[in-house]
Amino acid sequence: MVRLITHNLLACHVKGCNTNNFPLQFRDIQIELREAEFNPDFLKGFMPKIEWKALVDAARQLGDTSLPLEQPEMLDDEFLKNLHHVLLEVKEV
Amino acid sequence: MIPTPDLRHLTAQDYDRVYEPAEDTFLLLDALEADQHDLKRLRPLISLEIGSGSGCVSAFIAKILGPSVRTSRPTHFSPSLTSSTVYLCTDINPHACRCTHSTGHHNAAPLDPINTSLAGPLARRLHRAVDVVLFNPPYVPTVPDEADDAQQARGIAGAWAGGVDGMGVTDQFLERVGELMSDRGRFYLVAVPENDVPGIRERMLRVHGLQSEIVLSRRAGREHLFVLRFVRAQGASQTN
């Protein structure tokens, strides 16, 4: 039960697990959606903390292909709304 | 006056397995409330609570911080989750994670529980990224093994059994907290005199460059409770 914003912050910390320890792999994927309030300022502030490829891959594994492979330079509203949905409203359960 | 989070969804059965908010919890809430203006000005991106238990403390700080953007949504809609801050909540007790999640749900606070010890799998990605760290640790002095045993059992005793000087668990986190805090980050810790509050403060400044204040203290029955607030000492932001 994890939102993708959290998933993007989790790395395996088991002793000796030094390679391939981020991101964590999903198993038996099920998805839940829950509405969250759209806040573009938060998203823009959080962008530098995101491991972009891991987020895009995770979203695609959960069936959401709305994010571009490269982090865009222009943060238009449509992009931010997609990012908002992926980061904060999709939950892997 | 910030209202205490609504915990009516938690039952006596929950409190058999998860620490029920008590004087130590409420002292931490009061310390956060006293700092509410500074906390709002900080506009934290990431809040991290270690040992969130019922979820009461993180739900409370979410109430303080609230949405940073007011929407024009009509008021008859039920409040949706706000997203101006990420509220990461770890607890080694899986049932505590469930309680934290439901407390978030009942208080329109988007709490993200993670079932792990201390900062565990977050430490690498949150290097110097956390703006608010909250820890009401198991601070009660016990025989040495009791703290480790309680942590391994992942049950309610892990919420209080602290080992020698009540510092068995806290010490492990104090070694790491400086790596988690952002340059403007602040760390709130609950402690009792048996933990050696002056010793904690001296060591955190000398070893980790974190200066502290006692922001609140109160007697509650046999306990004398303190809330300490740590920030990076001036000129110490490049170490670690």
Side-chain angles (χ1 to χ4, degrees), chain A residues 47-86:
Chain A
M47 287 270 292
K49 312 246 184 260
I50 297 172
E51 285 270 1
W52 191 254
K53 186 180 179 313
L55 181 67
V56 173
D57 287 351
R60 289 181 183 216
Q61 282 182 56
L62 303 187
D64 188 306
T65 56
S66 64
L67 295 180
L69 286 172
E70 301 287 332
Q71 212 178 76
E73 282 169 29
M74 282 290 293
L75 307 180
D76 60 30
D77 226 38
E78 189 195 340
F79 166 75
L80 288 172
K81 286 202 163 132
N82 290 337
L83 179 62
H84 166 75
H85 179 70
V86 166

mmCIF file of all heavy atoms in Angstrom, chain A residues 47-86:
data_model
loop_
_atom_site.group_PDB
_atom_site.id
_atom_site.type_symbol
_atom_site.label_atom_id
_atom_site.label_comp_id
_atom_site.label_asym_id
_atom_site.label_seq_id
_atom_site.Cartn_x
_atom_site.Cartn_y
_atom_site.Cartn_z
ATOM 1 N N MET A 47 9.864 18.369 -7.621
ATOM 2 C CA MET A 47 10.478 17.825 -8.846
ATOM 3 C C MET A 47 11.967 17.474 -8.689
ATOM 4 O O MET A 47 12.391 16.408 -9.120
ATOM 5 C CB MET A 47 10.317 18.811 -10.002
ATOM 6 C CG MET A 47 8.913 18.904 -10.557
ATOM 7 S SD MET A 47 8.562 17.762 -11.893
ATOM 8 C CE MET A 47 9.595 18.415 -13.197
ATOM 9 N N PRO A 48 12.780 18.350 -8.078
ATOM 10 C CA PRO A 48 14.210 18.019 -7.982
ATOM 11 C C PRO A 48 14.498 16.776 -7.136
ATOM 12 O O PRO A 48 15.571 16.194 -7.247
ATOM 13 C CB PRO A 48 14.822 19.256 -7.298
ATOM 14 C CG PRO A 48 13.821 20.343 -7.472
ATOM 15 C CD PRO A 48 12.486 19.690 -7.546
ATOM 16 N N LYS A 49 13.561 16.383 -6.291
ATOM 17 C CA LYS A 49 13.789 15.219 -5.429
ATOM 18 C C LYS A 49 13.434 13.905 -6.134
ATOM 19 O O LYS A 49 13.723 12.822 -5.618
ATOM 20 C CB LYS A 49 12.925 15.311 -4.168
ATOM 21 C CG LYS A 49 12.989 16.643 -3.483
ATOM 22 C CD LYS A 49 13.634 16.546 -2.123
ATOM 23 C CE LYS A 49 13.613 17.846 -1.389
ATOM 24 N NZ LYS A 49 14.883 18.570 -1.444
ATOM 25 N N ILE A 50 12.763 14.000 -7.271
ATOM 26 C CA ILE A 50 12.261 12.788 -7.923
ATOM 27 C C ILE A 50 13.363 12.108 -8.731
ATOM 28 O O ILE A 50 14.123 12.764 -9.432
ATOM 29 C CB ILE A 50 11.089 13.137 -8.869
ATOM 30 C CG1 ILE A 50 9.927 13.719 -8.073
ATOM 31 C CG2 ILE A 50 10.642 11.898 -9.650
ATOM 32 C CD1 ILE A 50 8.802 14.260 -8.943
ATOM 33 N N GLU A 51 13.463 10.790 -8.601
ATOM 34 C CA GLU A 51 14.271 9.994 -9.536
ATOM 35 C C GLU A 51 13.355 9.719 -10.719
ATOM 36 O O GLU A 51 12.477 8.856 -10.659
ATOM 37 C CB GLU A 51 14.698 8.675 -8.875
ATOM 38 C CG GLU A 51 15.793 8.815 -7.861
ATOM 39 C CD GLU A 51 17.184 8.686 -8.481
ATOM 40 O OE1 GLU A 51 17.269 8.496 -9.719
ATOM 41 O OE2 GLU A 51 18.169 8.768 -7.730
ATOM 42 N N TRP A 52 13.548 10.457 -11.790
ATOM 43 C CA TRP A 52 12.532 10.518 -12.834
ATOM 44 C C TRP A 52 12.285 9.173 -13.512
ATOM 45 O O TRP A 52 11.149 8.743 -13.673
ATOM 46 C CB TRP A 52 12.900 11.583 -13.873
ATOM 47 C CG TRP A 52 11.753 11.831 -14.791
ATOM 48 C CD1 TRP A 52 11.623 11.426 -16.079
ATOM 49 C CD2 TRP A 52 10.536 12.509 -14.455
ATOM 50 N NE1 TRP A 52 10.410 11.802 -16.579
ATOM 51 C CE2 TRP A 52 9.727 12.469 -15.603
ATOM 52 C CE3 TRP A 52 10.055 13.135 -13.300
ATOM 53 C CZ2 TRP A 52 8.447 13.039 -15.634
ATOM 54 C CZ3 TRP A 52 8.789 13.695 -13.334
ATOM 55 C CH2 TRP A 52 8.017 13.639 -14.486
ATOM 56 N N LYS A 53 13.360 8.504 -13.890
ATOM 57 C CA LYS A 53 13.189 7.247 -14.621
ATOM 58 C C LYS A 53 12.431 6.231 -13.767
ATOM 59 O O LYS A 53 11.545 5.521 -14.249
ATOM 60 C CB LYS A 53 14.562 6.690 -15.029
ATOM 61 C CG LYS A 53 14.449 5.472 -15.921
ATOM 62 C CD LYS A 53 15.796 4.920 -16.311
ATOM 63 C CE LYS A 53 15.688 3.675 -17.184
ATOM 64 N NZ LYS A 53 14.737 2.674 -16.699
ATOM 65 N N ALA A 54 12.781 6.181 -12.483
ATOM 66 C CA ALA A 54 12.110 5.230 -11.588
ATOM 67 C C ALA A 54 10.619 5.541 -11.497
ATOM 68 O O ALA A 54 9.778 4.630 -11.457
ATOM 69 C CB ALA A 54 12.739 5.286 -10.195
ATOM 70 N N LEU A 55 10.281 6.812 -11.497
ATOM 71 C CA LEU A 55 8.868 7.188 -11.409
ATOM 72 C C LEU A 55 8.116 6.816 -12.680
ATOM 73 O O LEU A 55 7.020 6.244 -12.625
ATOM 74 C CB LEU A 55 8.738 8.693 -11.142
ATOM 75 C CG LEU A 55 7.292 9.178 -11.019
ATOM 76 C CD1 LEU A 55 6.637 8.609 -9.767
ATOM 77 C CD2 LEU A 55 7.207 10.700 -11.007
ATOM 78 N N VAL A 56 8.717 7.138 -13.813
ATOM 79 C CA VAL A 56 8.052 6.835 -15.087
ATOM 80 C C VAL A 56 7.870 5.316 -15.230
ATOM 81 O O VAL A 56 6.789 4.844 -15.604
ATOM 82 C CB VAL A 56 8.878 7.397 -16.272
ATOM 83 C CG1 VAL A 56 8.286 6.947 -17.600
ATOM 84 C CG2 VAL A 56 8.921 8.919 -16.193
ATOM 85 N N ASP A 57 8.918 4.562 -14.886
ATOM 86 C CA ASP A 57 8.821 3.099 -14.973
ATOM 87 C C ASP A 57 7.735 2.557 -14.049
ATOM 88 O O ASP A 57 6.954 1.679 -14.427
ATOM 89 C CB ASP A 57 10.164 2.450 -14.602
ATOM 90 C CG ASP A 57 11.213 2.634 -15.695
ATOM 91 O OD1 ASP A 57 10.835 3.098 -16.789
ATOM 92 O OD2 ASP A 57 12.388 2.332 -15.441
ATOM 93 N N ALA A 58 7.717 3.073 -12.831
ATOM 94 C CA ALA A 58 6.715 2.600 -11.870
ATOM 95 C C ALA A 58 5.309 2.897 -12.388
ATOM 96 O O ALA A 58 4.414 2.047 -12.341
ATOM 97 C CB ALA A 58 6.934 3.262 -10.509
ATOM 98 N N ALA A 59 5.126 4.119 -12.898
ATOM 99 C CA ALA A 59 3.809 4.489 -13.411
ATOM 100 C C ALA A 59 3.404 3.574 -14.562
ATOM 101 O O ALA A 59 2.261 3.111 -14.641
ATOM 102 C CB ALA A 59 3.817 5.949 -13.858
ATOM 103 N N ARG A 60 4.341 3.286 -15.449
ATOM 104 C CA ARG A 60 4.027 2.427 -16.598
ATOM 105 C C ARG A 60 3.676 1.017 -16.135
ATOM 106 O O ARG A 60 2.771 0.399 -16.679
ATOM 107 C CB ARG A 60 5.189 2.423 -17.580
ATOM 108 C CG ARG A 60 5.238 3.778 -18.264
ATOM 109 C CD ARG A 60 6.300 3.973 -19.302
ATOM 110 N NE ARG A 60 6.136 5.368 -19.725
ATOM 111 C CZ ARG A 60 6.301 5.820 -20.955
ATOM 112 N NH1 ARG A 60 6.681 5.009 -21.917
ATOM 113 N NH2 ARG A 60 6.087 7.086 -21.238
ATOM 114 N N GLN A 61 4.408 0.532 -15.137
ATOM 115 C CA GLN A 61 4.071 -0.799 -14.612
ATOM 116 C C GLN A 61 2.652 -0.833 -14.061
ATOM 117 O O GLN A 61 2.004 -1.866 -14.052
ATOM 118 C CB GLN A 61 5.031 -1.188 -13.490
ATOM 119 C CG GLN A 61 6.380 -1.657 -13.980
ATOM 120 C CD GLN A 61 7.246 -2.075 -12.790
ATOM 121 O OE1 GLN A 61 6.862 -2.913 -11.999
ATOM 122 N NE2 GLN A 61 8.401 -1.449 -12.674
ATOM 123 N N LEU A 62 2.202 0.310 -13.574
ATOM 124 C CA LEU A 62 0.842 0.372 -13.037
ATOM 125 C C LEU A 62 -0.156 0.809 -14.112
ATOM 126 O O LEU A 62 -1.314 1.093 -13.817
ATOM 127 C CB LEU A 62 0.782 1.325 -11.838
ATOM 128 C CG LEU A 62 1.731 1.017 -10.679
ATOM 129 C CD1 LEU A 62 1.440 1.931 -9.489
ATOM 130 C CD2 LEU A 62 1.639 -0.437 -10.227
ATOM 131 N N GLY A 63 0.314 0.904 -15.353
ATOM 132 C CA GLY A 63 -0.602 1.164 -16.457
ATOM 133 C C GLY A 63 -0.815 2.621 -16.803
ATOM 134 O O GLY A 63 -1.686 2.956 -17.594
ATOM 135 N N ASP A 64 -0.024 3.513 -16.210
ATOM 136 C CA ASP A 64 -0.184 4.942 -16.506
ATOM 137 C C ASP A 64 0.993 5.400 -17.373
ATOM 138 O O ASP A 64 2.145 5.391 -16.931
ATOM 139 C CB ASP A 64 -0.214 5.739 -15.197
ATOM 140 C CG ASP A 64 -0.562 7.208 -15.432
ATOM 141 O OD1 ASP A 64 0.124 7.857 -16.247
ATOM 142 O OD2 ASP A 64 -1.525 7.705 -14.811
ATOM 143 N N THR A 65 0.681 5.807 -18.607
ATOM 144 C CA THR A 65 1.748 6.195 -19.538
ATOM 145 C C THR A 65 1.734 7.704 -19.807
ATOM 146 O O THR A 65 2.208 8.165 -20.838
ATOM 147 C CB THR A 65 1.595 5.442 -20.874
ATOM 148 O OG1 THR A 65 0.281 5.723 -21.380
ATOM 149 C CG2 THR A 65 1.753 3.953 -20.696
ATOM 150 N N SER A 66 1.186 8.472 -18.871
ATOM 151 C CA SER A 66 0.994 9.904 -19.134
ATOM 152 C C SER A 66 2.288 10.717 -18.999
ATOM 153 O O SER A 66 2.354 11.838 -19.478
ATOM 154 C CB SER A 66 -0.054 10.465 -18.166
ATOM 155 O OG SER A 66 0.416 10.371 -16.837
ATOM 156 N N LEU A 67 3.309 10.164 -18.352
ATOM 157 C CA LEU A 67 4.523 10.965 -18.131
ATOM 158 C C LEU A 67 5.546 10.734 -19.234
ATOM 159 O O LEU A 67 5.755 9.604 -19.675
ATOM 160 C CB LEU A 67 5.159 10.604 -16.783
ATOM 161 C CG LEU A 67 4.345 10.927 -15.537
ATOM 162 C CD1 LEU A 67 5.106 10.524 -14.280
ATOM 163 C CD2 LEU A 67 3.996 12.411 -15.468
ATOM 164 N N PRO A 68 6.221 11.814 -19.670
ATOM 165 C CA PRO A 68 7.275 11.678 -20.688
ATOM 166 C C PRO A 68 8.524 11.013 -20.107
ATOM 167 O O PRO A 68 8.773 11.111 -18.903
ATOM 168 C CB PRO A 68 7.569 13.128 -21.074
ATOM 169 C CG PRO A 68 7.197 13.925 -19.876
ATOM 170 C CD PRO A 68 6.060 13.199 -19.219
ATOM 171 N N LEU A 69 9.303 10.360 -20.977
ATOM 172 C CA LEU A 69 10.500 9.646 -20.513
ATOM 173 C C LEU A 69 11.546 10.589 -19.932
ATOM 174 O O LEU A 69 12.284 10.225 -19.028
ATOM 175 C CB LEU A 69 11.114 8.842 -21.667
ATOM 176 C CG LEU A 69 10.333 7.581 -22.050
ATOM 177 C CD1 LEU A 69 10.907 6.970 -23.321
ATOM 178 C CD2 LEU A 69 10.335 6.573 -20.919
ATOM 179 N N GLU A 70 11.604 11.784 -20.486
ATOM 180 C CA GLU A 70 12.536 12.782 -19.954
ATOM 181 C C GLU A 70 11.745 13.815 -19.159
ATOM 182 O O GLU A 70 10.665 14.233 -19.574
ATOM 183 C CB GLU A 70 13.265 13.507 -21.096
ATOM 184 C CG GLU A 70 14.075 12.597 -22.009
ATOM 185 C CD GLU A 70 15.345 12.095 -21.346
ATOM 186 O OE1 GLU A 70 15.870 12.817 -20.466
ATOM 187 O OE2 GLU A 70 15.777 10.971 -21.692
ATOM 188 N N GLN A 71 12.326 14.272 -18.068
ATOM 189 C CA GLN A 71 11.670 15.335 -17.319
ATOM 190 C C GLN A 71 11.640 16.597 -18.178
ATOM 191 O O GLN A 71 12.692 17.058 -18.616
ATOM 192 C CB GLN A 71 12.467 15.588 -16.026
ATOM 193 C CG GLN A 71 11.601 16.021 -14.865
ATOM 194 C CD GLN A 71 12.389 16.219 -13.575
ATOM 195 O OE1 GLN A 71 13.084 17.195 -13.395
ATOM 196 N NE2 GLN A 71 12.265 15.273 -12.657
ATOM 197 N N PRO A 72 10.458 17.142 -18.431
ATOM 198 C CA PRO A 72 10.390 18.291 -19.341
ATOM 199 C C PRO A 72 10.911 19.565 -18.698
ATOM 200 O O PRO A 72 10.939 19.676 -17.474
ATOM 201 C CB PRO A 72 8.894 18.414 -19.627
ATOM 202 C CG PRO A 72 8.238 17.832 -18.439
ATOM 203 C CD PRO A 72 9.155 16.757 -17.908
ATOM 204 N N GLU A 73 11.327 20.493 -19.537
ATOM 205 C CA GLU A 73 11.776 21.770 -19.001
ATOM 206 C C GLU A 73 10.597 22.703 -18.779
ATOM 207 O O GLU A 73 10.571 23.465 -17.818
ATOM 208 C CB GLU A 73 12.800 22.411 -19.950
ATOM 209 C CG GLU A 73 14.162 21.771 -19.786
ATOM 210 C CD GLU A 73 15.127 22.180 -20.887
ATOM 211 O OE1 GLU A 73 14.986 23.295 -21.411
ATOM 212 O OE2 GLU A 73 16.025 21.362 -21.195
ATOM 213 N N MET A 74 9.629 22.624 -19.687
ATOM 214 C CA MET A 74 8.429 23.464 -19.549
ATOM 215 C C MET A 74 7.394 22.714 -18.709
ATOM 216 O O MET A 74 6.943 21.644 -19.107
ATOM 217 C CB MET A 74 7.836 23.769 -20.928
ATOM 218 C CG MET A 74 8.581 24.862 -21.694
ATOM 219 S SD MET A 74 8.326 26.479 -20.918
ATOM 220 C CE MET A 74 6.569 26.691 -21.241
ATOM 221 N N LEU A 75 7.049 23.291 -17.560
ATOM 222 C CA LEU A 75 6.095 22.619 -16.688
ATOM 223 C C LEU A 75 4.703 23.200 -16.920
ATOM 224 O O LEU A 75 4.255 24.066 -16.179
ATOM 225 C CB LEU A 75 6.521 22.799 -15.233
ATOM 226 C CG LEU A 75 7.971 22.387 -14.925
ATOM 227 C CD1 LEU A 75 8.284 22.598 -13.451
ATOM 228 C CD2 LEU A 75 8.229 20.946 -15.322
ATOM 229 N N ASP A 76 4.045 22.721 -17.987
ATOM 230 C CA ASP A 76 2.705 23.248 -18.234
ATOM 231 C C ASP A 76 1.678 22.518 -17.366
ATOM 232 O O ASP A 76 1.976 21.531 -16.698
ATOM 233 C CB ASP A 76 2.345 23.189 -19.722
ATOM 234 C CG ASP A 76 2.364 21.766 -20.253
ATOM 235 O OD1 ASP A 76 2.085 20.834 -19.482
ATOM 236 O OD2 ASP A 76 2.655 21.587 -21.446
ATOM 237 N N ASP A 77 0.472 23.052 -17.399
ATOM 238 C CA ASP A 77 -0.570 22.566 -16.507
ATOM 239 C C ASP A 77 -0.920 21.101 -16.757
ATOM 240 O O ASP A 77 -1.153 20.339 -15.824
ATOM 241 C CB ASP A 77 -1.815 23.447 -16.668
ATOM 242 C CG ASP A 77 -2.383 23.821 -15.318
ATOM 243 O OD1 ASP A 77 -1.578 24.077 -14.391
ATOM 244 O OD2 ASP A 77 -3.617 23.834 -15.185
ATOM 245 N N GLU A 78 -0.920 20.739 -18.023
ATOM 246 C CA GLU A 78 -1.296 19.353 -18.336
ATOM 247 C C GLU A 78 -0.263 18.388 -17.759
ATOM 248 O O GLU A 78 -0.608 17.368 -17.141
ATOM 249 C CB GLU A 78 -1.395 19.171 -19.856
ATOM 250 C CG GLU A 78 -2.000 17.825 -20.218
ATOM 251 C CD GLU A 78 -1.770 17.462 -21.683
ATOM 252 O OE1 GLU A 78 -1.487 18.376 -22.486
ATOM 253 O OE2 GLU A 78 -1.877 16.273 -21.994
ATOM 254 N N PHE A 79 1.012 18.740 -17.931
ATOM 255 C CA PHE A 79 2.076 17.905 -17.365
ATOM 256 C C PHE A 79 1.945 17.826 -15.845
ATOM 257 O O PHE A 79 2.015 16.748 -15.251
ATOM 258 C CB PHE A 79 3.451 18.457 -17.743
ATOM 259 C CG PHE A 79 4.558 17.853 -16.934
ATOM 260 C CD1 PHE A 79 4.990 16.553 -17.186
ATOM 261 C CD2 PHE A 79 5.130 18.547 -15.880
ATOM 262 C CE1 PHE A 79 5.993 15.973 -16.411
ATOM 263 C CE2 PHE A 79 6.133 17.973 -15.094
ATOM 264 C CZ PHE A 79 6.557 16.683 -15.369
ATOM 265 N N LEU A 80 1.757 18.976 -15.199
ATOM 266 C CA LEU A 80 1.688 18.987 -13.732
ATOM 267 C C LEU A 80 0.492 18.177 -13.231
ATOM 268 O O LEU A 80 0.566 17.512 -12.195
ATOM 269 C CB LEU A 80 1.624 20.431 -13.220
ATOM 270 C CG LEU A 80 2.933 21.219 -13.347
ATOM 271 C CD1 LEU A 80 2.716 22.687 -12.990
ATOM 272 C CD2 LEU A 80 4.028 20.635 -12.460
ATOM 273 N N LYS A 81 -0.614 18.227 -13.992
ATOM 274 C CA LYS A 81 -1.786 17.442 -13.556
ATOM 275 C C LYS A 81 -1.504 15.945 -13.674
ATOM 276 O O LYS A 81 -1.915 15.152 -12.814
ATOM 277 C CB LYS A 81 -3.013 17.846 -14.366
ATOM 278 C CG LYS A 81 -3.505 19.207 -13.909
ATOM 279 C CD LYS A 81 -4.964 19.469 -14.242
ATOM 280 C CE LYS A 81 -5.449 20.632 -13.378
ATOM 281 N NZ LYS A 81 -6.164 21.653 -14.118
ATOM 282 N N ASN A 82 -0.800 15.569 -14.744
ATOM 283 C CA ASN A 82 -0.426 14.154 -14.874
ATOM 284 C C ASN A 82 0.526 13.735 -13.761
ATOM 285 O O ASN A 82 0.384 12.658 -13.167
ATOM 286 C CB ASN A 82 0.231 13.898 -16.239
ATOM 287 C CG ASN A 82 -0.770 13.998 -17.377
ATOM 288 O OD1 ASN A 82 -1.979 13.828 -17.169
ATOM 289 N ND2 ASN A 82 -0.288 14.294 -18.570
ATOM 290 N N LEU A 83 1.488 14.608 -13.487
ATOM 291 C CA LEU A 83 2.449 14.312 -12.421
ATOM 292 C C LEU A 83 1.738 14.197 -11.069
ATOM 293 O O LEU A 83 2.009 13.286 -10.275
ATOM 294 C CB LEU A 83 3.525 15.406 -12.366
ATOM 295 C CG LEU A 83 4.588 15.240 -11.275
ATOM 296 C CD1 LEU A 83 5.388 13.957 -11.491
ATOM 297 C CD2 LEU A 83 5.524 16.447 -11.240
ATOM 298 N N HIS A 84 0.832 15.119 -10.827
ATOM 299 C CA HIS A 84 0.035 15.103 -9.596
ATOM 300 C C HIS A 84 -0.687 13.757 -9.439
ATOM 301 O O HIS A 84 -0.629 13.122 -8.384
ATOM 302 C CB HIS A 84 -0.982 16.247 -9.656
ATOM 303 C CG HIS A 84 -2.068 16.151 -8.632
ATOM 304 N ND1 HIS A 84 -1.862 16.442 -7.305
ATOM 305 C CD2 HIS A 84 -3.370 15.779 -8.738
ATOM 306 C CE1 HIS A 84 -2.989 16.265 -6.633
ATOM 307 N NE2 HIS A 84 -3.918 15.859 -7.471
ATOM 308 N N HIS A 85 -1.311 13.329 -10.518
ATOM 309 C CA HIS A 85 -2.068 12.076 -10.460
ATOM 310 C C HIS A 85 -1.136 10.899 -10.152
ATOM 311 O O HIS A 85 -1.415 10.082 -9.266
ATOM 312 C CB HIS A 85 -2.806 11.866 -11.791
ATOM 313 C CG HIS A 85 -3.586 10.598 -11.828
ATOM 314 N ND1 HIS A 85 -4.723 10.414 -11.065
ATOM 315 C CD2 HIS A 85 -3.394 9.447 -12.512
ATOM 316 C CE1 HIS A 85 -5.197 9.186 -11.290
ATOM 317 N NE2 HIS A 85 -4.414 8.581 -12.154
ATOM 318 N N VAL A 86 -0.032 10.834 -10.873
ATOM 319 C CA VAL A 86 0.881 9.700 -10.702
ATOM 320 C C VAL A 86 1.510 9.692 -9.305
ATOM 321 O O VAL A 86 1.545 8.666 -8.620
ATOM 322 C CB VAL A 86 1.987 9.741 -11.788
ATOM 323 C CG1 VAL A 86 3.132 8.793 -11.431
ATOM 324 C CG2 VAL A 86 1.399 9.379 -13.143
#
